[in-house]
Each structure stands twice: as C-alpha cells, then as structure tokens.
Amino acid sequence: RKEVEQDPGPFNVPEGATVAFNCTYSNSASQSFFWYRQDCRKEPKLLMSVYSSGNEDGRFTAQLNRASQYISLLIRDSKLSDSATYLCVVNGGSQGNLIFGKGTKLSVKP
Amino acid sequence: GAVVSQHPSRVICKSGTSVKIECRSLDFQATTMFWYRQFPKKSLMLMATSNEGSKATYEQGVEKDKFLINHASLTLSTLTVTSAHPEDSSFYICSAGGGRGSPLHFGNGTRLTVT
C-alpha cells in the first residue's frame, strides 16, 4: 500500500458544483494532515490543515477519519480559480518528514 | 509574504556544468530544510533532508555526490547539481518548517533546464 494515496483525477466539474477529494494514508502513527494546492508550474501552497474534529474554511471543508486512515476535502460552489492540483500531505512520524500524495487534478469549467 | 526564498527561479545551463540553488528561511531559523524534485505531471519527490551543521540525509536513489547539499547557517541551505545532464532538467523546490506538526513553507521553486 502506498504511503499516501489519492485519486489522480482529473475531476472536470462545472462552476458552482460541489466536489470531494479523498486520500488514504498507511502510517497509523501519523499525527499531522494537510491539504496543499499546487498551480501548474508553481510551488505547493498550504490550503488548510486537517483537524481531528473536521474543519471548515469558507467553501472548503476537511475531514479526518483516523479509524479508516482517510482524509477528505470538500469544495462547495466551485470557482474557475479553484482549478489546480490538490495534494494530500501526511507527516511520516519524523519531525518535518511530510509525505505527499501524487495529487488530484481539478478543472472547473464555465 | 514569503517565508522561504529560493533563488534562482529559472536557470538554463549546458551539460557538464554545475548549478547552485539557494534556499533561505526569511522569518525563522531552520535547522532542517528539505529539497524536492518534481518532474512534469508527477508528484513532489523528496530528495534529501538538509541539516544545519551536519551532513544531509539523502533519499534512496539520490546520488549524494551529484546533488551536493550545504546547510552552513540556520537560514541558508544550498543544492548544487554537479555535472548536470539533460535528465536532471526538473523543478526543484526547497522547504522549511514542518516541525511539531506545523506545515511546511515552500520556496517558489527553481526550474532547471539542461541543454
């Protein structure tokens, strides 16, 4: 099983749609979880951390299920500017050793 | 504003030459920095962990004699691609932070093209 696994997509959705990304991780000792966004030919930028109780930031909602070792990101009311690759990131247990999924590509169409 | 600065953002060099990439933490001291490589349409791959005052830790399959890392101060790590070949053409990104569960901050990356 890969350490961090994501559906690569692409997800092609119309503006205004709700879209959900899933991510599974293999290390049950992982304690820190993040979603990063990466635009084409740019560096990744932190979108949001993922907390045990779930958290929301505007149109974005992140959920964590430790029992299933599963993280999700929900985007409501998709905008054209949401088009990017979304990276699921999990710490591997060592300080700063964050492990990246391969990313899920989202394309929002008008 | 940026908390990690990477330079240069783009470099084109000829085969056989060496290229140095700098990564600086701007607002904090970083005893550890990370170097990644990303090929087109692929995920980030950790190359090495740069440790201030000691040797870098390289990931399996990364040649330490080819990718020289120096972390001489708490705010600066450098990656030197020695004797570059066209297959070394890639997007190189550094990062710092990530301690105690905090997120990493990335530099803006260096696009290396070896002709």
Side-chain angles (χ1 to χ4, degrees), chain A residues 90-103:
Chain A
V90 175
N91 86 309
S94 304
Q95 184 181 20
N97 182 21
L98 295 181
I99 301 168
F100 288 79
K102 291 185 182 297

Side-chain angles (χ1 to χ4, degrees), chain B:
Chain B
V3 294
V4 176
S5 173
Q6 189 173 339
H7 178 80
S9 57
R10 193 177 193 94
V11 60
I12 300 172
C13 70
K14 293 186 177 181
S15 282
T17 59
S18 294
V19 175
K20 181 187 280 188
I21 304 170
E22 292 187 348
C23 181
R24 294 180 186 273
S25 58
L26 299 180
D27 299 326
F28 62 100
Q29 294 181 330
T31 55
T32 305
M33 292 186 177
F34 304 92
W35 288 96
Y36 297 84
R37 180 168 54 185
Q38 187 175 32
F39 291 106
K41 299 185 179 181
K42 299 291 184 182
S43 63
L44 285 169
M45 296 298 294
L46 180 65
M47 297 176 66
T49 301
S50 173
N51 304 300
E52 188 268 335
S54 65
K55 292 182 179 180
T57 305
Y58 289 82
E59 296 299 302
Q60 192 172 10
V62 178
E63 299 174 61
K64 61 181 180 181
D65 294 330
K66 179 169 183 63
F67 298 99
L68 300 178
I69 290 174
N70 184 287
H71 195 151
S73 77
L74 287 170
T75 59
L76 174 63
S77 175
T78 60
L79 169 68
T80 302
V81 183
T82 62
S83 188
H85 289 108
E87 56 264 32
D88 296 326
S89 298
S90 188
F91 190 48
Y92 293 86
I93 311 175
C94 71
S95 68
R100 298 188 178 184
S102 63
L104 283 171
H105 299 287
F106 287 88
N108 55 356
T110 298
R111 191 160 300 281
L112 171 64
T113 303
V114 184
T115 60

Side-chain angles (χ1 to χ4, degrees), chain A residues 3-110:
Chain A
E3 292 186 274
V4 178
E5 207 154 355
Q6 293 181 252
D7 182 342
F11 283 60
N12 297 308
V13 304
E15 262 187 299
T18 295
V19 61
F21 304 138
N22 302 321
C23 170
T24 56
Y25 60 95
S26 61
N27 187 349
S28 59
S30 296
Q31 294 294 322
S32 305
F33 310 92
F34 309 96
W35 283 101
Y36 278 76
R37 170 197 169 125
Q38 186 174 24
D39 293 290
C40 189
R41 301 170 76 88
K42 298 284 186 182
E43 77 279 14
K45 292 186 186 295
L46 179 67
L47 178 65
M48 59 197 303
S49 302
V50 185
Y51 302 118
S52 298
S53 54
N55 48 301
E56 188 175 307
D57 182 1
R59 298 182 292 108
F60 300 87
T61 301
Q63 297 276 353
L64 168 64
N65 184 322
R66 286 189 186 274
S68 302
Q69 295 179 205
Y70 168 96
I71 305 159
S72 66
L73 176 68
L74 182 78
I75 304 176
R76 290 183 299 278
D77 188 23
S78 300
K79 311 290 184 191
L80 296 176
S81 57
D82 293 334
S83 298
T85 296
Y86 290 83
L87 302 167
C88 173
V89 183
V90 175
N91 86 309
S94 304
Q95 184 181 20
N97 182 21
L98 295 181
I99 301 168
F100 288 79
K102 291 185 182 297
T104 299
K105 186 171 182 180
L106 171 67
S107 182
V108 182
K109 306 290 187 184

